[in-house]
């Protein structure tokens, strides 16, 4: 059965965890769909995993739209989320034009990085029929502002800002929020405070859902493996079995464990 935003909302309300993953092509997307992940993200991580760049900043809207079309062809049931790349939503009009490109390529939801400054953008997109996923914490498009891929929200003021940003995105109409590389306790506090589902990556086990870059779930990471990554293929006989294992560990609240989370 096709996964909808309301289905994810119901899972949150029932306290049931869900697994999501990135994909960039029809073949992997089809395997992940068969493993019954709840959502597949065409992440701008494709700039690193597919294109071999050192950041996501070079990725264009045309490239995300192309990969979204590919993923869409492999998916029957999973919710499809596509990333708005760097500087494609720096004003409301650009956000609308570029979100339309992703929706027309087959996305069900678009994701954008940032907090309260995006309230008008999120309101306008949702009013125009575009479901929006927020992304807070370590937002890779701001790597140059952060001075590297560092854990965010460890200091009280920064944690409070992320918390307030999450509430602001929800009130603006966002339907879910990705929380990347923040302390488990902060992700837990945000998840409890929000009506909409949170999806964590390096944010501990208390978020409603988890997401992994597919390469990190299959032991294919280029360069340094992140602390939160787990190679599910190492214990499995196929990619399908590996992603089924990932899903079952997320649903049973086994993955991520404390060693795969930040304090
Ligand atoms: O681009 C991406 O793959 C992402 C995930 C890390 C959440 O945004």
């Amino acid at each position: 059965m096709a996964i909808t935003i309301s289905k994810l909302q119901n899972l949150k309300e029932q306290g049931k965890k869900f697994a999501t993953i990135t994909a960039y092509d029809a073949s992997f997307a089809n395997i992940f769909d068969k493993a019954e992940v709840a959502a597949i993200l065409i992440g701008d991580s494709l700039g690193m995993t597919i294109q071999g760049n050192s950041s996501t900043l070079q990725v264009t809207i045309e490239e995300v739209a192309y990969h979204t079309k590919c993923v869409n062809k492999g998916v029957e049931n999973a919710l499809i989320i596509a990333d708005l790349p760097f500087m494609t939503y720096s004003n409301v009009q650009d956000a609308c034009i570029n979100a339309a490109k992703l929706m027309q390529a087959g996305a069900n939801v678009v994701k954008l990085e940032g907090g309260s400054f995006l309230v008008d953008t999120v309101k306008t997109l949702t009013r125009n029929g575009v479901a929006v996923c927020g992304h807070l914490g370590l937002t890779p498009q701001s790597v140059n502002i952060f001075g590297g891929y560092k854990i965010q929200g460890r200091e009280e003021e920064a944690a409070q800002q992320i918390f307030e940003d999450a509430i602001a995105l929800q009130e603006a109409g966002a339907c879910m929020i990705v929380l990347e590389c923040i302390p488990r306790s902060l992700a837990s506090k945000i998840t409890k405070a929000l009506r909409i589902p949170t999806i964590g990556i390096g944010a501990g086990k208390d978020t409603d859902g988890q997401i992994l870059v597919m390469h990190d779930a299959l032991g294919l990471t280029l360069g340094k493996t992140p602390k939160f990554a787990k190679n599910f293929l190492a214990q499995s006989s196929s990619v399908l079995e590996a992603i089924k294992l990932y899903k079952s560990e997320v649903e049973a609240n086994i993955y991520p464990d404390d060693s795969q989370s930040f304090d």
Side-chain angles (χ1 to χ4, degrees):
M1 213 174 43
I3 308 285
T4 57
I5 292 162
S6 346
K7 165 85 182 163
L8 299 187
Q9 185 68 50
N10 289 344
L11 291 175
K12 178 182 177 101
E13 283 157 19
Q14 292 165 31
K16 291 186 179 160
K17 307 276 178 196
F18 58 86
T20 72
I21 192 163
T22 69
Y24 316 97
D25 68 29
S27 304
F28 278 111
N30 185 252
I31 295 172
F32 303 162
D33 192 62
K34 288 202 167 84
E36 297 185 349
V37 296
I40 293 179
L41 169 71
I42 301 90
D44 59 359
S45 51
L46 72 86
M48 300 167 91
T49 56
I50 305 293
Q51 298 173 341
N53 299 316
S54 60
S55 80
T56 61
L57 304 187
Q58 290 91 335
V59 176
T60 65
I61 192 72
E62 286 72 26
E63 288 166 347
V64 179
Y66 166 79
H67 287 280
T68 301
K69 276 186 196 158
C70 298
V71 164
N72 182 270
K73 288 187 182 141
V75 170
E76 221 171 291
N77 293 317
L79 190 74
I80 299 179
I81 308 173
D83 262 346
L84 280 166
F86 179 61
M87 290 299 275
T88 61
Y89 51 99
S90 60
N91 60 63
V92 177
Q93 196 188 357
D94 282 359
C96 290
I97 292 168
N98 290 315
K101 290 183 185 166
L102 299 185
M103 301 299 284
Q104 284 159 356
N108 304 119
V109 178
V110 302
K111 179 164 80 61
L112 37 70
E113 299 183 4
S116 315
F117 72 95
L118 289 171
V119 159
D120 285 345
T121 303
V122 174
K123 278 187 184 164
T124 306
L125 286 171
T126 49
R127 263 194 228 121
N128 282 281
V130 178
V132 180
C133 174
H135 186 158
L136 296 170
L138 172 51
T139 45
Q141 292 171 16
S142 301
V143 62
N144 290 303
I145 303 286
F146 295 146
Y149 296 100
K150 299 175 182 166
I151 314 308
Q152 301 296 309
R154 277 201 162 127
E155 302 76 28
E156 212 179 303
E157 204 181 317
Q160 184 58 24
Q161 185 62 57
I162 294 171
F163 181 82
E164 285 171 18
D165 283 343
I167 304 284
L169 289 174
Q170 169 181 268
E171 296 315 313
C175 63
M176 60 186 98
I177 300 184
V178 168
L179 299 173
E180 179 164 355
C181 291
I182 59 171
R184 177 181 168 184
S185 56
L186 175 59
S188 177
K189 182 177 159 191
I190 294 171
T191 301
K192 284 189 192 122
L194 293 185
R195 298 183 302 276
I196 57 172
T198 58
I199 305 179
I201 173 164
K205 59 164 64 188
D206 303 318
T207 52
D208 300 304
Q210 296 289 332
I211 185 153
L212 274 178
V213 170
M214 57 165 278
H215 296 68
D216 293 340
L218 298 173
L220 302 172
T221 313
L222 271 176
K224 191 173 168 255
T225 302
K227 177 178 155 115
F228 54 78
K230 177 166 175 181
N231 177 0
F232 290 91
L233 190 54
Q235 303 163 57
S236 311
S237 55
S238 67
V239 171
L240 178 62
E241 291 310 315
I243 302 310
K244 281 186 177 169
L245 178 63
Y246 162 56
K247 180 182 182 263
S248 69
E249 288 201 5
V250 169
E251 289 177 355
N253 219 7
I254 295 168
Y255 174 82
D257 65 19
D258 287 345
S259 72
Q260 291 147 341
S261 310
F262 301 101
D263 296 323

